[in-house]
Amino acid sequence: MKKPFVAGNWKMNIGLSEGVDLVEELKNSLSDYKYVEIVVIPPFTHLYLIKKKLDGTNIKLGAQNLHWEDKGAFTGEISPLMLKEIGCSYVIIGHSERRKYFGESDEIVNKKSKIALHHGIIPIICIGETIEERENGATFKVIEKQLRVAISGFNKEDIMKVVVAYEPVWAIGTGKNATPEQAEEAHSFIRSILREMFGIEESNCVIIIYGGSVTMDNSYSLLKMENVDGFLVGGASLKGDSFTGIVKNGLKAWLERGGKSC
Ligand code: PGA
């Protein structure tokens, strides 16, 4: 049985000492939540120390990016081996901010996801449409292309490890989350593509999370949806009480709907 998944993407916010304080708070408030896969995703400079603070707890560590080569002359980049050595379990790939500001293409997302899996780091692959694409009726077309290229060359074993994050760009950092129905529509579409590519059992096992203005107030109704398996949280992950509230309310909804049959 898979657990619901809640990850906090700190982005380029909060310094090291604030990050350590936040993690200490989360260690206390979330220690009973063993039935949720909880992940914190700080900036690179915090990873080593935060991993030390998380050792022996139920909270896992993720990174916000990686390079697709193991090593070499890539000034300013971070290798998957470096993340592995520190103890990162997850890595975000293809966040819309990376696509928009750093030119990451679907092909780069594919290369990065492959190298992450190769080294045993689970990629959280982000896909999602802009507001213009939604208004033009292109939502499904856009997310289908992003998904198919991101996971091209993956086999059944690979896909069952991956986390897919549906993050409509218009919902990120805007305070305007997708409604539970909009999220469910996109998630069930994503799962139908995975079903067609890999089979029914495999597609049911893939964790598909939602991201975009998730708060402790909307996490319950979003996680009530059949194909929403958790969250990638930005702004609301920077405060202990709001991140904890998302985990608690989300788990309540998850249990009420009977969990996930995988
Ligand atoms: P937000 O960010 O929760 O602040 O909207 C989500 C994300 O970028 O993953």
Side-chain angles (χ1 to χ4, degrees), residues 5 37 39-41 44 47 51 60-70 78-93 109-125 154 157-163:
F5 184 100
E37 183 76 349
V39 187
V40 292
I41 310 183
F44 288 128
L47 291 175
K51 179 67 175 86
K60 306 250 173 73
L61 186 71
Q64 296 177 19
N65 186 24
L66 50 55
H67 194 269
W68 62 80
E69 296 282 347
D70 286 349
I78 300 287
S79 139
L81 293 174
M82 297 166 187
L83 298 182
K84 188 81 198 150
E85 190 178 359
I86 283 179
C88 283
S89 307
Y90 294 91
V91 61
I92 298 176
I93 310 279
V109 172
N110 180 243
K111 283 208 272 189
K112 290 185 171 186
S113 301
K114 277 186 178 150
I115 195 82
L117 275 179
H118 178 74
H119 289 296
I121 303 171
I122 297 177
I124 302 172
I125 301 175
F154 284 30
E157 220 177 285
D158 297 332
I159 200 65
M160 287 197 288
K161 292 183 196 140
V162 160
V163 175

Side-chain angles (χ1 to χ4, degrees), residues 9 11 95 97 167 171-174 211-214 232-236:
N9 173 13
K11 307 190 182 182
H95 190 280
E97 288 149 15
E167 296 212 303
I172 297 177
T174 58
S213 298
V214 174
L232 183 54
V233 185

Side-chain angles (χ1 to χ4, degrees), residues 1 5 8-9 12 20 36 47 50 56 64 71 75 114 124 163 165 174 183-184 197 210 227 230 245:
M1 189 83 150
F5 184 100
N9 173 13
M12 199 177 72
V20 167
V36 181
L47 291 175
I50 294 220
Q64 296 177 19
K71 63 176 189 164
T75 302
K114 277 186 178 150
I124 302 172
V163 175
T174 58
E184 174 62 18
M197 292 176 75
Y210 166 78
N227 285 292

Side-chain angles (χ1 to χ4, degrees), residues 3 7 9 20 23 44 64 74 82-83 100 110 116 118 122 129 132 146 170 204-205 221 223 228 231 235 250 258:
K3 300 173 179 179
N9 173 13
V20 167
V23 156
F44 288 128
Q64 296 177 19
F74 301 103
M82 297 166 187
L83 298 182
K100 180 173 173 195
N110 180 243
H118 178 74
I122 297 177
E129 80 287 0
E132 293 77 20
Q146 289 177 337
W170 48 270
N204 281 342
C205 285
S221 55
L223 214 63
V228 179
F231 303 117

Side-chain angles (χ1 to χ4, degrees), residues 98-116:
R98 300 241 24 118
R99 293 175 186 263
K100 180 173 173 195
Y101 302 120
F102 305 98
E104 284 195 7
S105 63
D106 294 331
E107 289 71 21
I108 292 177
V109 172
N110 180 243
K111 283 208 272 189
K112 290 185 171 186
S113 301
K114 277 186 178 150
I115 195 82

